[in-house]
């Protein structure tokens, strides 16, 4: 089964990105000070390796599409919207640090950035694929990266490292309520 030129190049880019992510997460795991951060990085590293191996296996012999458990597990946060900390509470000043080691805040920020970029790149690559199995694997990769980005955000939010700015309630409602249903009246009879 041949791969198209677009999907070959897109999968090449995703595999390169995953290799980079795996190598960085391995370093982050060694540098993390908090057990919670080490655990998060370790779990995300294992998932990245599994996704990388699955995609590599498929490009070698198409076996990954038929493998048991080919669908990567998702992340279910169980978080309700009211559990998110909204608003700014004296955010600490930030500037790039030029030391040789990373602290937990820097590791979490890097993990979050990796997942966000990887989710976008997986979805963009998916849109260029003709092979339905490669397309599905890339979609699953995008979804998994999005879920892991959210898990990372939750830890950062709970620690006050990722604060969510807000607007006055009437401003947000005025802004968003400008959008109206396409047909505000009763549905037409067919």
């Amino acid at each position: 089964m041949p791969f198209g030129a677009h999907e070959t190049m897109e999968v090449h880019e995703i595999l390169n990105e995953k290799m980079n992510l795996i190598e960085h997460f391995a370093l982050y795991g060694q540098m993390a000070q908090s057990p919670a951060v080490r655990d998060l990085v370790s779990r995300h590293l294992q998932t990245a390796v599994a996704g990388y191996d699955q995609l590599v296996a498929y490009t070698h012999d198409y076996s990954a599409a038929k493998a048991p458990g080919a669908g990567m597990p998702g992340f279910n946060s169980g978080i309700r919207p009211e559990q998110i900390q909204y608003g700014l509470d004296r955010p600490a000043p930030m500037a790039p640090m030029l030391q040789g080691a990373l602290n937990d805040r820097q590791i979490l920020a890097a993990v979050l950035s990796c997942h966000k970029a990887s989710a976008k790149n997986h979805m963009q690559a998916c849109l260029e694929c003709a092979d339905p199995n490669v397309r599905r694997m890339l979609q699953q990769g995008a979804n998994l990266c999005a879920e892991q980005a959210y898990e990372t955000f939750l830890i950062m939010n709970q620690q006050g490292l990722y604060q969510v700015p807000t607007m006055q309630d009437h401003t947000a409602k005025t802004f968003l309520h400008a959008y109206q249903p396409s047909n505000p009246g009763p549905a037409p009879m067919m």
Side-chain angles (χ1 to χ4, degrees), residues 8-190:
T8 298
M9 296 308 296
E10 294 294 344
V11 169
H12 160 75
E13 290 295 326
I14 293 298
L15 289 173
N16 265 330
E17 177 184 59
K18 280 190 177 290
M19 279 182 19
N20 188 336
L21 184 143
I22 289 166
E23 291 164 353
H24 279 212
F25 282 21
L27 286 174
Y28 300 157
Q30 293 171 14
M31 292 182 193
Q33 296 146 8
S34 158
V37 173
R38 274 195 306 275
D39 177 61
L40 176 131
V41 171
S42 174
R43 286 184 292 104
H44 291 201
L45 175 60
Q46 291 171 7
T47 303
V49 169
Y52 172 86
D53 288 343
Q54 181 186 31
L55 193 52
V56 166
Y58 186 72
T59 63
H60 287 211
D61 65 9
Y62 306 108
S63 65
K66 299 175 196 84
M72 298 297 291
F75 167 75
N76 182 0
S77 68
I79 296 289
R80 294 181 319 277
E82 60 271 12
Q83 291 176 280
I84 302 298
Q85 296 177 30
Y86 287 92
L88 301 179
D89 182 22
R90 289 175 267 136
M94 291 188 289
M97 300 190 132
L98 302 174
Q99 81 274 8
L102 300 174
N103 62 35
D104 285 350
R105 184 199 59 78
Q106 292 166 313
I107 290 169
L108 288 168
V111 167
L112 182 62
S113 292
C114 285
H115 285 314
K116 285 180 174 183
S118 190
K120 291 175 188 177
N121 292 339
H122 273 79
M123 189 52 70
Q124 182 176 348
C126 163
L127 296 172
E128 297 297 332
C129 288
D131 184 295
N133 294 310
V134 172
R135 183 179 175 82
R136 180 185 47 78
M137 284 184 242
L138 293 173
Q139 284 173 324
Q140 288 174 337
N143 289 334
L144 191 55
C145 287
E147 293 299 328
Q148 290 179 325
Y150 189 65
E151 180 184 13
T152 305
F153 156 76
L154 290 173
I155 287 176
M156 294 177 77
N157 182 252
Q158 290 164 358
Q159 294 179 4
L161 301 174
Y162 194 123
Q163 297 184 23
V164 180
T166 59
M167 295 179 162
Q168 292 182 3
D169 191 45
H170 75 279
T171 302
K173 285 181 180 174
T174 300
F175 185 62
L176 295 175
H177 289 189
Y179 296 95
Q180 297 296 309
S182 60
N183 186 4
M189 295 292 199
M190 299 224 176

